[in-house]
Amino acid sequence: MSHEKLALELADFWFPAIANETWAERLRILDEVHGQLYQDLETAEEYEQVSASFVAALIDRLGSPPVTDPAQAEVYAGSAEERHWGAAMVWQFGERQEAGEATPARDERRRWPRRMVNMLTEMWVQGHPARCRLVDISRFGARVMPLRYQPRLPPGTAIRVAIPDSGVRDGVVVFSSPRGVGLQFANAAA
């Protein structure tokens, strides 16, 4: 059976179970399904293909509503469709401006500006690898969004992240929220 066909069959099966649930409950159910898929599929690559296509199909069956909730953003971030994970990123970074909060003062205080990058990569927490999306990067740090549910990482947690075209960087967690994990790189040159 093809990965796409399996993903569509899973979406058909699980849609009735999540259709009338909150986004937080949908996320909880999907975490359980993803855990089982990870055990059942032979390789991590198969898991990533089926998992992301399954999430995309479920979001489409739900009508692809605009992102309005942190749990919904986490679900959307795991989709194979750029329009879904892009909507999660737009919500994540646009929410403050839409709420009327001023953010330029914070940006102006940064010594090194952050650059939006939006790249799939890998991170390691306590030696365990996890796929993630590199959202932004600066000379001293980065923000990543895990593609699978991760327990909230407390500040000070050591983490490694693969930076495309730059190698692997060590860092520590500065903050962790539904919007991603903020890292400060170790040994950044001033």
Side-chain angles (χ1 to χ4, degrees):
M1 178 182 300
S2 76
H3 295 135
E4 192 62 33
K5 185 174 180 183
L6 175 58
L8 293 174
E9 286 184 10
L10 286 167
D12 288 339
F13 179 83
W14 283 101
F15 177 73
I18 70 162
N20 296 316
E21 297 294 341
T22 65
W23 283 105
E25 183 61 15
R26 290 171 179 164
L27 180 61
R28 187 196 64 74
I29 291 167
L30 288 174
D31 283 345
E32 290 181 19
V33 174
H34 289 309
Q36 189 62 51
L37 275 176
Y38 192 77
Q39 291 177 2
D40 292 345
L41 296 173
E42 291 184 23
T43 66
E45 291 79 21
E46 282 182 298
Y47 164 76
E48 288 178 21
Q49 289 175 347
V50 172
S51 173
S53 294
F54 163 58
V55 170
L58 280 176
I59 293 169
D60 286 343
R61 282 166 176 71
L62 290 166
S64 301
V67 178
T68 59
D69 179 271
Q72 182 185 9
E74 282 192 55
V75 171
Y76 274 51
S79 172
E81 295 288 329
E82 181 177 355
R83 62 193 165 92
H84 296 152
W85 52 257
M89 289 181 64
V90 166
W91 178 82
Q92 175 183 352
F93 293 105
E95 183 184 38
R96 285 190 184 155
Q97 284 81 8
E98 291 172 13
E101 292 180 27
T103 57
R106 178 178 175 171
D107 293 337
E108 289 172 11
R109 286 194 312 252
R110 289 190 175 154
R111 185 169 174 194
W112 302 101
R114 289 190 178 263
R115 177 175 53 95
M116 300 295 286
V117 290
N118 187 25
M119 295 181 196
L120 290 176
T121 190
E122 194 157 2
M123 65 181 195
W124 294 265
V125 179
Q126 297 176 339
H128 299 285
R131 296 289 291 167
C132 65
R133 185 172 307 283
L134 181 63
V135 177
D136 65 39
I137 189 166
S138 75
R139 186 171 180 178
F140 288 102
R143 184 187 316 227
V144 297
M145 288 182 67
L147 296 184
R148 288 191 47 181
Y149 171 76
Q150 292 277 330
R152 198 139 306 157
L153 300 171
T157 302
I159 192 168
R160 301 185 93 195
V161 64
I163 308 294
D165 302 325
S166 297
V168 175
R169 299 286 305 265
D170 291 316
V172 296
V173 173
V174 177
F175 71 86
S176 181
S177 75
R179 297 179 183 172
V181 178
L183 311 174
Q184 180 178 359
F185 294 138
N187 303 323

